Amino acid sequence: MLLLQFLNINKPSIKISGGTISIGQDNSNNVIIDEPGISDFHAEITIEESRILLSDLLSENGTFVNNQRISRNKELHPWDRIKLASIEIEISEAEKYRPGDWALKKESDLLNSQYIPLQTLTYVGRASDCDLVILDGLLSRQHTLLTIDGARLLVEDLQSANGTFINHIKIDSAYASPGDEITFDTITFELLGPCPHDASLLVEDNTIVRDDEAEDATIIASHIDSDKTQLFQSKPSLNTEKTILLTAVEKSEQTLKPSLNSKPRSDLAWGITGFILSLLIGLFLYFFLR
């Protein structure tokens, strides 16, 4: 059975049955919401076979489903959130588990899908004033207190005669997480809670991050090592290059030095040769003209 459950105004839940459900401020509507921002004829819900459809009736402030504005024939599903102006409505399913809520599920009740929702404080026992009454003579009148504490559930045994267990371990006070088994005497329930895989995902994510960091560190270290190795290897090569360059310079210097020294020698030889030729020519002319 599906219900319209009003979340932020004090209004009783309304059963979604066959036909059409009109919603608005006008007194002729099936669901009258006399709140600011609600149009006289704001929206309507129609049921066609097994489908539940929501349509906006050209309202001033719009109709939204799960934060998305809709116009006509938007199919609704259990736990959808409807927003009319500032009014929030949830499609709830009676006696069904809403994903993300804290609840107990009997271990042997897998096919019937019957869930027991938990409050912030839930007393378990066989006394009629307990929140969860288990009519079993072996349970204490007030057997266990369950306290929702963030992403965990605090389980406290109230000095029961036959004990409280988490995953088959007897406890006095301990935390339980979604997926754990809680046993009151011999009656076992599976604990369901918000995002039951988040904790494991966080651990896995952390592990992955640490692995990545380790891998990155390893890679960086190996790169550094390889860089160092390459640097160490490159230093001899630099020395080799320097040696080669120095050798080339020395050779060039050695090559240039003889050429520089040979230049004055060639000039002197040419000078002597010229002087001797001039002297010979002078002597030849002297004796010829004489």
Side-chain angles (χ1 to χ4, degrees), residues 207-275:
T207 304
I208 291 170
V209 169
R210 286 196 294 272
D211 288 344
D212 287 343
E213 290 175 353
E215 289 176 0
D216 290 340
T218 305
I219 292 168
I220 291 169
S222 64
H223 285 181
I224 291 171
D225 293 339
S226 63
D227 289 341
K228 286 182 178 178
T229 304
Q230 290 173 1
L231 288 173
F232 291 148
Q233 289 175 351
S234 63
K235 284 183 178 178
S237 64
L238 288 172
N239 292 335
T240 305
E241 290 173 4
K242 288 181 180 179
T243 305
I244 293 170
L245 290 172
L246 288 172
T247 303
V249 170
E250 288 174 357
K251 286 183 178 179
S252 62
E253 288 178 352
Q254 290 175 2
T255 306
L256 289 172
K257 284 178 181 178
S259 64
L260 292 172
N261 293 334
S262 62
K263 187 175 181 181
R265 291 178 183 177
S266 61
D267 291 343
L268 179 61
W270 282 108
I272 293 172
T273 303
F275 175 74

Side-chain angles (χ1 to χ4, degrees), residues 4-14 31-36 86-89:
L4 290 177
Q5 184 175 358
F6 295 88
L7 302 180
N8 57 352
I9 59 173
N10 186 17
K11 193 173 184 66
S13 299
I14 297 173
V31 179
I32 301 170
I33 304 178
D34 189 12
E35 296 290 339
S86 62
I87 307 303
E88 295 184 5
I89 306 170

Side-chain angles (χ1 to χ4, degrees), residues 51-280:
R51 302 173 66 207
I52 301 175
L53 305 175
L54 174 67
S55 297
D56 181 76
L57 300 179
L58 300 177
S59 63
E60 182 178 354
N61 294 305
T63 301
F64 297 80
V65 176
N66 299 328
N67 297 321
Q68 297 293 324
R69 188 164 188 165
I70 62 104
S71 54
R72 296 190 61 82
N73 297 331
K74 170 65 176 178
E75 186 171 358
L76 298 176
H77 303 281
W79 317 119
D80 279 347
R81 289 283 183 96
I82 300 171
K83 189 172 183 181
L84 311 176
S86 62
I87 307 303
E88 295 184 5
I89 306 170
E90 185 176 67
I91 306 296
S92 63
E93 193 168 8
E95 300 178 357
K96 294 290 183 179
Y97 172 64
R98 173 187 175 182
D101 285 349
W102 287 99
L104 293 177
K105 181 178 180 180
K106 286 191 67 176
E107 191 178 34
S108 60
D109 219 3
L110 299 176
L111 296 178
N112 293 332
S113 300
Q114 294 180 356
Y115 303 90
I116 303 166
L118 299 180
Q119 303 172 19
T120 304
L121 297 176
T122 302
Y123 284 90
V124 181
R126 58 184 175 85
S128 59
D129 59 348
C130 287
D131 301 295
L132 172 55
V133 179
I134 301 176
L135 299 176
D136 188 302
L138 297 177
L139 260 69
S140 300
R141 291 182 58 80
Q142 285 193 337
H143 196 100
T144 307
L145 174 61
L146 307 177
T147 305
I148 296 174
D149 184 9
R152 298 182 297 176
L153 184 76
L154 178 61
V155 182
E156 298 176 272
D157 184 78
L158 301 178
Q159 299 181 349
S160 63
N162 294 309
T164 302
F165 304 81
I166 297 178
N167 297 328
H168 310 292
I169 299 174
K170 189 173 183 179
I171 59 97
D172 292 324
S173 178
Y175 280 100
S177 299
D180 287 344
E181 291 183 353
I182 302 177
T183 303
F184 312 107
D185 183 26
T186 60
I187 302 173
T188 300
F189 295 84
E190 179 188 355
L191 177 62
L192 305 176
C195 301
H197 300 295
D198 276 0
S200 61
L201 286 175
L202 287 172
V203 173
E204 291 175 3
D205 288 343
N206 290 336
T207 304
I208 291 170
V209 169
R210 286 196 294 272
D211 288 344
D212 287 343
E213 290 175 353
E215 289 176 0
D216 290 340
T218 305
I219 292 168
I220 291 169
S222 64
H223 285 181
I224 291 171
D225 293 339
S226 63
D227 289 341
K228 286 182 178 178
T229 304
Q230 290 173 1
L231 288 173
F232 291 148
Q233 289 175 351
S234 63
K235 284 183 178 178
S237 64
L238 288 172
N239 292 335
T240 305
E241 290 173 4
K242 288 181 180 179
T243 305
I244 293 170
L245 290 172
L246 288 172
T247 303
V249 170
E250 288 174 357
K251 286 183 178 179
S252 62
E253 288 178 352
Q254 290 175 2
T255 306
L256 289 172
K257 284 178 181 178
S259 64
L260 292 172
N261 293 334
S262 62
K263 187 175 181 181
R265 291 178 183 177
S266 61
D267 291 343
L268 179 61
W270 282 108
I272 293 172
T273 303
F275 175 74
I276 293 171
L277 290 174
S278 299
L279 182 60
L280 292 173

